[in-house]
Amino acid sequence: MSALAREIRQNVEKRRTFGIISHPDAGKTTLTEKLLLFGGAITMAGTVKSRKATRHATSDWMKMEQERGISVTTSVMKFEYSGYDVNLLDTPGHEDFSEDTYRVLTAVDSALLVIDSAKGVEAQTKKLMDVCRMRNTPIMTFINKLDRDGLDPLDLLADIEDHLGIECAPLSWPIGMGKGFKGTYSIYKKKIHLFSATHGGRIQQGVVIDDVNDPKLDEMLGLAAQDLRRDLELLEGAGTPFSVERYLAGTQTPVFFGSAINNFGVQEMLDTFVELAPCPRPRATLTREVSPFEEEFSGVVFKIQANMDKAHRDRIAFMRICSGKYEKGMKIRHHRIGKDVQISNATIFMAQDRTGVEEAFAGDIIGLHNHGTIKIGDTFSLKEELKFTGIPSFAPEHFRKVILKSPLKTKQLQKGLQQLAEEGAVQVFRPMLGNEYILGAVGVLQFDVIISRLKDEYAVDAIYTPVNLSAARWVQSDDKALFERFQKELYSSLATDSEGNLALLADSSWRLEYIMEQWPDITFHTTREKN
Ligand code: G4P
């Protein structure tokens, strides 16, 4: 093995790139903060929370984020823990999330699911799980807020199994709940951690007891000790045993219980996470599978963000490295446009700051500055022509028609929308009939962002009018004659997207279903690979 191959192997094996998925308010921000605290990336509790309010205060649409108190954009945070290099990709958690949320999940190797113990599985958790399932992403679960009264632990597991369709294997078990919450038993490490509500921002664990039969436990917990022993017996008999293989295949989720705000159960979960979660995995391209251990560099862009720094007016393309080693100043080929580019100012995202990157490996995310030449889905490599797959567009669920305030700005509008569509900020459709621009989004908040960016970046004053549409599907057929007939008959419902692909826009799900039934040999896609 060459020295480079060895270096790559060592680095890839210690990388863990993951995202947190949850319904708003389940505790994702709080948990993120505690993870960063353990990783030494921040030193004070409250940092992430305040970041939620002040970060990127320079750009208008981020102001919107502040006003609404939600996190619209996705950031990447890197920290070290116990010899591992952890990349945490933050996924926007508001109900009004956008395609970015989905795409971030295509750049991770595993996910952490946070559930509120009082609420169980909620709507957005389901959507995000669907995306994880598309790629069999391994998922670890943290059931949060055990310091409050919530659902019975066994009911929570059943809820996850029923609603998310994934087997649950508890690796820890709560002792009591709410005011009576006494701690957790680690089924995995066979240790008891006793809770004290004074952990706050500090990172130490509570009292640790090694044996569940230790009489000290009865002294400390009273009847709760017996309840715990009974629960464990029950689980031993009827519970699902943990299997690393099933976890890695995405069919079983190991479950932890705790309280993020009290910093309880977090370290236990993090220790297990770095040990069990997969290191960067091979990625599919149109021609072959690329192993993260290969020596030749390759990477794929999964997200583009504009105006992170207003002073520069540039955009940052987030690239996930898929193989090889990135070194500052190296020349890589941008395959879609067939050009070699020298990357000298890539950025890596630390918890508080952005810093220049000297080197990076598979699983790392680097930010490339660009002025609109990079699109989502673009592949970069040293030489070999590759095209990574699996970065989809998702059929929009909300639609608006764009109206210009000044007709003189038609050209700017066209340019703005084309670029914003390439960036993946919104989907732009041109109906076959008429000369309109229909915007489609997965979350309605995207629309506000677009109007404000059109004004800011393209000096275009536009407004929306509602449009009677509620579903879109990309359409395709190998039967040319049939496809021509379909296009002729449904001409008034068809449109092209920004890349020229044909899509059907329907005013109701009922009509969509009806058309799909009428045309069984036409394929209707809810996702489309980025070209
Ligand atoms: P999110 O990013 O998933 O939206 O959730 P976030 O961490 O912001 O947490 C949502 C609320 O739940 C916050 O309360 C937070 O303090 C609380 N929380 C998080 N973890 C726990 C926990 O383990 N136990 C309890 N009891 N509460 C928890 P908030 O009142 O909305 O905000 P704040 O005033 O505390 O900042």
Side-chain angles (χ1 to χ4, degrees):
M1 199 192 279
S2 75
L4 176 62
R6 219 174 6 251
E7 187 189 1
I8 291 175
R9 180 159 289 276
Q10 277 168 359
N11 274 284
V12 171
E13 281 175 349
K14 66 175 186 173
R15 272 169 172 69
R16 300 287 181 269
T17 300
F18 78 109
I20 300 184
I21 55 179
S22 67
H23 192 84
D25 269 353
K28 189 183 59 156
T29 312
T30 313
L31 184 65
T32 300
E33 182 173 278
K34 302 299 177 197
L35 294 177
L36 294 178
L37 213 58
F38 284 118
I42 54 169
T43 48
M44 216 177 62
T47 315
V48 179
K49 273 266 181 226
S50 63
R51 256 170 60 89
K52 215 170 164 182
T54 58
R55 71 178 162 188
H56 313 313
T58 43
S59 85
D60 279 354
W61 56 288
M62 301 223 184
K63 255 189 246 148
M64 204 155 66
E65 164 177 322
Q66 262 181 55
E67 278 161 20
R68 300 189 182 200
I70 53 171
S71 134
V72 182
T73 51
T74 310
S75 40
V76 183
M77 287 165 274
K78 191 175 179 65
F79 62 93
E80 274 180 31
Y81 182 75
S82 185
Y84 294 90
D85 276 17
V86 184
N87 291 308
L88 168 54
L89 277 57
D90 181 23
T91 43
H94 193 261
E95 250 167 288
D96 246 351
F97 65 111
S98 68
E99 279 187 77
D100 268 348
T101 319
Y102 286 155
R103 286 201 205 101
V104 166
L105 292 176
T106 67
V108 301
D109 299 299
S110 70
L112 180 62
L113 168 64
V114 182
I115 287 187
D116 183 329
S117 66
K119 298 191 175 143
V121 173
E122 296 175 84
Q124 192 167 321
T125 328
K126 274 193 207 160
K127 279 192 181 180
L128 293 164
M129 273 294 285
D130 286 344
V131 182
C132 290
R133 194 159 295 120
M134 278 162 69
R135 305 177 61 245
N136 300 326
T137 308
I139 292 167
M140 214 169 258
T141 301
F142 184 77
I143 299 186
N144 191 25
K145 307 196 187 180
L146 264 287
D147 58 319
R148 282 204 188 148
D149 285 324
L151 304 170
D152 179 81
L154 282 171
D155 290 345
L156 281 161
L157 299 187
D159 186 45
I160 297 174
E161 296 203 336
D162 289 351
H163 290 105
L164 300 180
I166 189 165
E167 197 177 275
C168 290
L171 289 192
S172 83
W173 199 251
I175 309 170
M177 181 178 278
K179 284 205 176 65
F181 181 48
K182 301 251 167 39
T184 53
Y185 174 71
S186 167
I187 295 174
Y188 190 57
K189 305 257 181 200
K190 306 220 179 314
K191 263 189 175 37
I192 295 157
H193 297 278
L194 293 183
F195 172 67
S196 85
T198 53
H199 285 340
R202 287 177 296 136
I203 60 173
Q204 71 270 34
Q205 289 283 11
V207 183
V208 179
I209 294 180
D210 285 327
D211 182 3
V212 70
N213 291 316
D214 191 331
K216 231 177 19 202
L217 203 64
D218 299 272
E219 276 166 42
M220 298 178 83
L221 299 180
L223 284 180
Q226 287 174 30
D227 288 349
L228 172 67
R229 291 185 193 115
R230 190 202 54 218
D231 281 355
L232 293 177
E233 248 170 53
L234 197 76
L235 284 175
E236 183 95 24
T240 308
F242 171 64
S243 144
V244 186
E245 291 74 31
R246 293 182 68 73
Y247 160 61
L248 292 176
T251 52
Q252 181 185 89
T253 179
V255 179
F256 291 83
F257 292 85
S259 165
I261 199 144
N262 291 298
N263 209 2
F264 201 83
V266 177
Q267 186 167 25
E268 224 176 304
M269 190 221 22
L270 180 59
D271 283 339
T272 316
F273 171 80
V274 290
E275 187 187 324
L276 298 179
C279 72
R281 307 207 286 179
R283 316 275 299 192
T285 71
L286 285 180
T287 37
R288 66 184 185 89
E289 200 171 72
V290 172
S291 155
F293 301 112
E294 289 177 23
E295 290 184 28
E296 187 176 324
F297 173 89
S298 69
V300 61
V301 172
F302 64 95
K303 174 186 163 67
I304 290 180
Q305 188 164 311
N307 269 359
M308 285 185 72
D309 185 346
K310 192 115 184 175
H312 293 101
R313 273 206 164 263
D314 62 354
R315 303 179 190 190
I316 291 197
F318 289 75
M319 182 203 286
R320 172 178 160 121
I321 298 179
C322 300
S323 64
K325 178 181 180 184
Y326 163 83
E327 281 173 293
K328 186 174 174 166
M330 84 190 291
K331 256 198 183 148
I332 49 180
R333 178 155 274 256
H334 185 184
H335 288 293
R336 187 176 47 80
I337 57 175
K339 260 197 185 151
D340 286 333
V341 282
Q342 189 167 18
I343 310 287
S344 48
N345 61 347
T347 303
I348 204 148
F349 297 85
M350 305 298 283
Q352 296 111 319
D353 297 307
R354 301 197 234 156
T355 51
V357 203
E358 297 297 326
E359 56 176 48
F361 298 87
D364 286 338
I365 312 297
I366 57 176
L368 308 178
H369 297 263
N370 80 103
H371 294 279
T373 42
I374 303 178
K375 290 209 283 186
I376 285 177
D378 278 1
T379 299
F380 288 79
S381 78
L382 213 53
K383 279 196 242 63
E384 184 183 346
E385 173 135 19
L386 292 170
K387 171 82 183 98
F388 285 98
T389 56
I391 310 233
S393 285
F394 294 86
E397 291 162 25
H398 305 277
F399 301 85
R400 298 280 187 279
K401 195 193 294 182
V402 187
I403 309 266
L404 270 178
K405 282 193 186 159
S406 154
L408 294 174
K409 295 278 189 171
T410 313
K411 266 227 164 87
Q412 281 94 322
L413 175 72
Q414 197 172 353
K415 180 173 168 221
L417 288 179
Q418 179 69 28
Q419 288 192 355
L420 291 167
E422 281 173 6
E423 204 181 276
V426 74
Q427 297 189 37
V428 180
F429 296 96
R430 307 295 313 263
M432 296 308 215
L433 278 180
N435 206 13
E436 295 164 345
Y437 289 93
I438 305 283
L439 302 193
V442 168
V444 287
L445 190 67
Q446 279 174 264
F447 293 127
D448 294 357
V449 171
I450 295 303
I451 284 286
S452 124
R453 288 190 55 190
L454 279 174
K455 191 166 172 109
D456 244 32
E457 295 164 41
Y458 302 93
V460 172
D461 252 327
I463 49 168
Y464 293 125
T465 56
V467 55
N468 190 20
L469 292 171
S470 69
R473 293 289 182 272
W474 285 282
V475 287
Q476 208 183 15
S477 175
D478 290 335
D479 184 337
K480 229 173 132 196
L482 175 82
F483 201 43
E484 271 172 21
R485 216 172 69 234
F486 173 78
Q487 290 185 47
K488 216 164 139 193
E489 281 192 30
L490 288 153
Y491 194 69
S492 61
S493 299
L494 292 174
T496 48
D497 71 7
S498 62
E499 287 173 16
N501 303 291
L502 203 61
L504 175 84
L505 305 182
D507 54 12
S508 67
S509 51
W510 177 86
R511 181 164 149 79
L512 175 68
E513 272 164 34
Y514 177 77
I515 295 172
M516 286 165 72
E517 266 170 35
Q518 297 291 306
W519 299 88
D521 294 323
I522 302 280
T523 330
F524 297 83
H525 297 279
T526 50
T527 57
R528 192 183 59 73
E529 285 277 324
K530 289 295 238 178
N531 288 326

